[in-house]
Amino acid sequence: MMLNRLPPDWQRYYAKHRTAIVTATTGLLYVVGWSLGSFADAGLVSAAILVLATIVGGYDIAKRGYYELRSRTLGIKTLVTLAAVGAVGIGAYWEAAAVVFLFSLGSYLEGRTMRKTRSALQELLEMTPDTAVVRRDGERVEIPAREVEVGEVVLVKPGGKIPVDGEVVDGESAVDQAPVTGESTPVRKTDGDEVYAGTINQDGALEVRTTGAGADTTLQRIIRRVEEAQEAQSPTESLIDRFATYYTPAILALAVGAFAVTRDAMLALTLLVIGCPGALVIGPPVSIVSAIGNAARNGVLMKGGEHLETAGKIDLVAFDKTGTLTKGETTVADVAGFGAEDDDVLRLAAIAEAKSEHHLGSAVLEAAAERVGAADSVATDGGAAVETRPSGGPAGIPDPDEFDVVPGKGVVARHDGREIVVGNRALLADRRIAVPDDVADYVREREAAGETAVHVVRDGTVVGAIALRDELREAAPEVVRALQDAGIRTVMLTGDNERTARAVAEEIDIDDYRAALLPEDKQAAIEAFREEGYVVAMVGDGINDAPSLATADVGIAMGAAGTDTAIETADMALMADELTRIPDAIALSKATRWNVYENVAIAVLTVGLLLAGVLGSVVHLAGGMLVHEGSVLLVILNGMRLLRY
């Protein structure tokens, strides 16, 4: 009632800092009461002040203890309340006030340090701009960022935060994407490039067409994932919670038994307080939350404590090749015609691939657009010209009349009455198409150089071959070596042929590789590794390798920024295409496992020593409470080390 009479600003201040104010008041009353106790004629006043300190500091504790009992659980707040009431009942006012004050102080410090462990999430929240400048009816209007509609153009000044997800439609600038992807250097953005809410525009003005705003941005999805991950319990946390369910009643029974045998109320109350599993319960969550926050700040999303703990056990990492170990930017390295002009071979392949969504098909179409796209016709029958259609594909490439994809092998198409086959040796073997020796020699030579070669067939005759190259990521050898140095086996799983796979594997010095795999073969390989006893991580793009990612103990999605599916489904998502995050994330997971073990050991050892000290009449109530709260703070500080790992 008195609080309601205070000015509104004071009420808000008290509500925000209630724990600190109650703890400070309790401490002040405790010091005054204890000081007066040294005067013989102030004993009654001292007792009254110490009881008041117990009431002020113990009210919230007793209230929470009551709710614990109502929910049929017996927790530390219930035990502290019983100990304080019992101490007052036997006239141990100093001990009662000391227990309440020390517990309040410990709770306050615990709350502050726990908030720091969630600092990464707060940093993400602060990255979200509140307003955006949009162009409406020819005018610039500043509106709340959450009210920007999809399709609207947002104007971003140099040095400003980008308020929406979108695509650059005008301007060029470097953008600091660290808040979303963890990338250490700014990324150059120009027309057609994606940008994300919360990233920082640096040196040029940008106009961005909105694809997501408010809650529907990559940054907000990251925040939701981090919140969910920090709330989710790890297996160790669940085990400790179940243990505490039985342990706490056992401590209560021990205290009652000790009193029944010794008739020493103070001994029983001391056992109640120092036997509480406070450090044991709080230690693992601090470690998990700190690690998840650290990872999020560096562009790695952990789905939760369970996957974080599992990642700490990984001893085999399987990599997809295309888009993971390589840049995923396939280009045509060479075209060779055998009985046909090189440009005619490329044009034929482009017609067959015009409806394909495969990355190799896209590379062929791009090369055709550059080399032969301006041509109005192309020989498809040893000299007979076939006119292109204005309505055709890129650069006037006509669509095939019929089109069929053979998964993992190639495509078969028909155009203007001619059959065109573009694919690997397996597809040609299936269709009983002979490969001339000179073509086979060319293909072997290109594959030995780490390229992928496809045959181009017209009406059953091989007329050429196209060599395609996907550049390795510069960090790939370094990442493989770092994992190997950590004692982790590395494997590459690819749909490419044996020679291409071997060339790439030798270049990055990977431990093992499996070639010519279909998606189901990759999944089977992951299952086989697990059956051998490995804890397996699969690294892929989050979409094409979905079965393998789901089968692995930990699925790691590359380049998940802006991809809803990867963020929501991956066990671990790398927001940028930075392979170096993988060994870092695994090392953090392993460090977290050890940190959890350290915290459990600290908690168990402290309680064990205190119990022995109480039974040996060496440890008393206030001193035991002080050591107990010290152990809680110690495990919190130990867990917080992971924030800077």
Side-chain angles (χ1 to χ4, degrees):
M1 293 298 291
M2 290 180 62
L3 188 62
N4 293 335
R5 298 174 184 172
L6 294 174
D9 289 346
W10 289 23
Q11 292 182 36
R12 284 193 292 271
Y13 182 85
Y14 176 78
K16 183 177 180 180
H17 301 282
R18 177 186 172 91
T19 304
I21 293 171
V22 168
T23 301
T25 303
T26 303
L28 180 61
L29 291 171
Y30 169 69
V31 170
V32 172
W34 177 77
S35 300
L36 289 174
S38 60
F39 299 98
D41 56 352
L44 189 58
V45 176
S46 172
I49 293 175
L50 290 171
V51 170
L52 180 60
T54 304
I55 294 171
V56 170
Y59 174 78
D60 287 343
I61 301 170
K63 187 177 178 180
R64 296 190 188 110
Y66 168 71
Y67 287 122
E68 283 180 350
L69 291 175
R70 281 192 60 180
S71 62
R72 297 185 178 181
T73 59
L74 191 61
I76 186 170
K77 296 172 183 67
T78 305
L79 299 185
V80 170
T81 301
L82 291 174
V85 171
V88 170
I90 63 173
Y93 308 120
W94 178 82
E95 286 83 355
V99 166
V100 168
F101 169 64
L102 289 170
F103 186 80
S104 296
L105 179 61
S107 298
Y108 168 69
L109 295 175
E110 177 185 320
R112 283 200 59 176
T113 49
M114 278 298 288
R115 283 191 294 274
K116 286 186 179 180
T117 64
R118 299 177 188 272
S119 59
L121 182 58
Q122 185 61 35
E123 289 172 13
L124 291 176
L125 288 168
E126 291 172 355
M127 284 292 174
T128 309
D130 295 324
T131 61
V133 177
V134 300
R135 184 179 287 123
R136 288 183 176 176
D137 300 324
E139 296 184 2
R140 296 184 178 187
V141 182
E142 185 171 345
I143 62 174
R146 65 180 180 278
E147 294 181 7
V148 178
E149 297 179 2
V150 172
E152 284 194 298
V153 174
V154 174
L155 311 178
V156 187
K157 295 179 180 179
K161 293 178 183 176
I162 298 174
V164 297
D165 281 4
E167 180 180 299
V168 177
V169 294
D170 190 26
E172 182 177 352
S173 181
V175 175
D176 179 2
Q177 298 191 147
V180 173
T181 66
E183 291 170 286
S184 56
T185 57
V187 180
R188 204 74 194 169
K189 300 288 183 179
T190 187
D191 291 5
D193 290 336
E194 279 187 309
V195 292
Y196 309 114
T199 56
I200 303 168
N201 182 29
Q202 293 200 326
D203 53 19
L206 293 176
E207 294 189 12
V208 178
R209 189 175 304 282
T210 304
T211 58
D216 188 29
T217 64
T218 298
L219 183 62
Q220 287 298 321
R221 286 192 289 273
I222 293 171
I223 290 169
R224 286 197 297 272
R225 171 57 68 206
V226 174
E227 286 176 334
E228 292 166 3
Q230 289 185 336
E231 294 300 325
Q233 282 196 322
S234 69
T236 300
E237 291 176 273
S238 299
L239 177 64
I240 288 174
D241 279 354
R242 289 196 299 272
F243 171 75
T245 302
Y246 299 100
Y247 172 82
T248 307
I251 289 295
L252 181 59
L254 175 63
V256 172
F259 177 73
V261 172
T262 65
R263 297 297 173 180
D264 186 340
M266 187 57 70
L267 172 65
L269 295 175
T270 306
L271 286 172
L272 275 181
V273 172
I274 60 90
C276 295
L280 186 64
V281 172
I282 196 66
V286 174
S287 302
I288 298 296
V289 168
S290 296
I292 289 173
N294 180 327
R297 193 169 57 243
N298 288 287
V300 180
L301 291 187
M302 302 282 190
K303 191 172 182 179
E306 176 183 356
H307 302 289
L308 179 63
E309 285 197 6
T310 303
K313 304 174 186 176
I314 290 171
D315 49 16
L316 185 148
V317 175
F319 292 93
D320 173 46
K321 181 180 82 70
T322 304
T324 302
L325 291 172
T326 64
K327 295 178 180 178
E329 300 171 358
T330 306
T331 57
V332 171
D334 189 61
V335 180
F338 296 87
E341 294 295 322
D342 292 353
D343 285 355
D344 291 348
V345 170
L346 184 58
R347 186 76 169 189
L348 277 172
I351 292 170
E353 297 280 8
K355 291 185 177 180
S356 173
E357 296 182 356
H358 196 277
H359 63 93
L360 297 183
S362 299
V364 168
L365 289 169
E366 288 178 9
E370 291 177 6
R371 293 179 55 167
V372 297
D376 292 327
S377 62
V378 59
T380 60
D381 189 18
V386 176
E387 296 299 322
T388 63
R389 299 193 306 273
S391 60
I397 301 295
D399 289 339
D401 302 320
E402 298 177 20
F403 174 77
D404 186 33
V405 176
V406 183
K409 297 180 181 180
V411 299
V412 179
R414 295 193 70 83
H415 174 68
D416 203 32
R418 303 294 183 182
E419 181 184 73
I420 307 172
V421 177
V422 180
N424 57 23
R425 281 187 299 276
L427 179 58
L428 270 59
D430 289 347
R431 303 183 69 83
R432 298 183 180 179
I433 298 172
V435 180
D437 290 342
D438 53 351
V439 177
D441 291 342
Y442 171 83
V443 169
R444 278 194 293 270
E445 178 186 339
R446 305 307 300 200
E447 289 177 347
E451 298 171 352
T452 299
V454 294
H455 307 78
V456 181
V457 181
R458 179 183 61 211
D459 287 338
T461 300
V462 179
V463 295
I466 299 176
L468 301 109
R469 172 172 287 278
D470 186 2
E471 296 292 335
L472 272 176
R473 295 185 187 275
E474 294 178 1
E478 172 193 344
V479 168
V480 169
R481 187 165 54 252
L483 292 171
Q484 292 168 339
D485 290 344
I488 297 172
R489 184 183 173 191
T490 54
V491 180
M492 181 180 72
L493 306 179
T494 178
D496 282 342
N497 61 78
E498 172 71 22
R499 276 189 291 273
T500 301
R502 185 190 310 120
V504 173
E506 290 175 353
E507 187 170 353
I508 62 176
D509 199 23
I510 205 163
D511 293 326
D512 192 9
Y513 68 91
R514 307 290 169 87
L517 300 181
L518 298 174
E520 56 268 29
D521 298 326
K522 292 184 181 181
Q523 184 179 9
I526 296 295
E527 291 173 346
F529 290 137
R530 294 185 67 193
E531 288 174 2
E532 292 175 24
Y534 288 104
V535 177
V536 181
M538 173 66 191
V539 186
D541 61 11
I543 299 173
N544 297 334
D545 294 301
S548 302
L549 290 168
T551 302
D553 295 288
V554 179
I556 304 176
M558 288 278 294
T563 306
D564 295 3
T565 303
I567 292 176
E568 296 300 324
T569 62
D571 300 328
M572 189 185 299
L574 309 183
M575 302 311 296
D577 288 326
E578 293 193 14
L579 281 176
T580 53
R581 301 293 183 197
I582 295 172
D584 291 344
I586 293 175
L588 174 63
S589 299
K590 291 181 180 295
T592 303
R593 283 187 70 216
W594 281 108
N595 195 274
V596 168
Y597 294 154
E598 289 166 2
N599 281 348
V600 170
I602 290 169
V604 172
L605 183 62
T606 301
V607 170
L609 291 175
L610 285 175
L611 286 174
V614 171
L615 295 175
S617 301
V618 176
V619 175
H620 302 288
L621 185 58
M625 189 67 190
L626 181 62
V627 174
H628 181 276
E629 290 303 315
S631 71
V632 172
L633 293 177
L634 181 59
V635 299
I636 290 174
L637 293 173
N638 187 49
M640 287 180 66
R641 290 191 300 115
L642 294 171
L643 284 171
R644 299 177 179 84
Y645 183 83

